C-alpha cells in the first residue's frame, strides 16, 4: 500500500492539481478491500468535507461478469449513465460531491 500511496502522491495528485483544485488531500487514502460474497453498494454520493476525487484501482486478475462489482455512475435522477467493469489493472477517477451519484452492482 505504501507504493500505491507514493504513486498517488507523486504522480496522480500533481497531474490533477494542474487543472483541479483540491480543498484537502488526505495523507492516506481510504482503502476498501472487497473479498468474497457481498451485496454491492446502493446508490449514494460521497459528499464528505475534504474529499474531492475518488480513485478506484481494480486488482482482481480473474474477474468474470458473473462476479459482479460493476461501478455505475448515475444522473441526478438515478438513471445509470455509465457502467464500468472492474477489469484488472483499470483505474477509475471521478469527482465527488452532492451531485456525484454512484453505486456498485452486487
Amino acid at each position: 500500500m505504501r507504493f500505491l500511496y507514493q504513486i498517488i502522491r507523486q504522480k496522480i495528485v500533481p497531474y490533477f492539481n494542474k487543472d483541479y483544485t483540491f480543498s484537502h488531500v488526505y495523507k492516506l487514502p481510504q482503502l476498501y478491500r472487497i473479498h468474497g460474497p457481498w451485496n454491492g453498494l446502493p446508490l449514494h454520493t460521497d459528499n464528505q468535507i475534504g474529499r474531492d476525487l475518488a480513485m478506484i484501482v481494480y486488482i482482481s486478475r480473474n474477474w468474470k461478469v458473473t462476479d459482479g462489482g460493476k461501478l455505475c455512475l448515475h444522473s441526478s435522477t438515478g438513471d445509470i449513465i455509465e457502467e464500468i467493469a472492474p477489469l484488472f489493472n483499470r483505474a477509475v477517477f471521478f469527482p465527488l460531491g452532492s451531485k456525484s451519484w454512484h453505486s456498485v452492482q452486487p
Side-chain angles (χ1 to χ4, degrees):
M1 281 301 138
R2 289 180 195 266
F3 175 75
L4 180 58
Y5 171 66
Q6 288 174 344
I7 296 281
I8 293 168
R9 187 182 57 165
Q10 294 172 1
K11 302 290 183 184
I12 296 171
V13 170
Y15 174 79
F16 280 99
N17 276 335
K18 291 177 184 174
D19 298 312
Y20 188 86
T21 303
F22 289 91
S23 61
H24 295 84
V25 176
Y26 285 142
K27 288 185 176 183
L28 294 174
Q30 288 184 308
L31 302 173
Y32 297 93
R33 178 177 177 242
I34 308 298
H35 180 67
W38 75 304
N39 294 323
L41 293 173
L43 182 63
H44 68 284
T45 66
D46 292 330
N47 190 19
Q48 300 171 5
I49 295 173
R51 291 190 63 207
D52 299 314
L53 183 71
M55 179 183 99
I56 302 171
V57 177
Y58 297 105
I59 59 174
S60 297
R61 290 184 185 272
N62 301 312
W63 179 82
K64 299 178 291 296
V65 172
T66 56
D67 293 334
K70 286 184 183 176
L71 171 67
C72 298
L73 304 178
H74 298 262
S75 68
S76 58
T77 60
D79 298 322
I80 295 175
I81 56 175
E82 186 75 35
E83 288 185 359
I84 302 167
L87 301 177
F88 174 70
N89 215 25
R90 174 177 277 174
V92 179
F93 297 86
F94 58 95
L96 297 177
S98 62
K99 297 179 182 179
S100 182
W101 292 96
H102 56 283
S103 64
V104 179
Q105 295 176 345

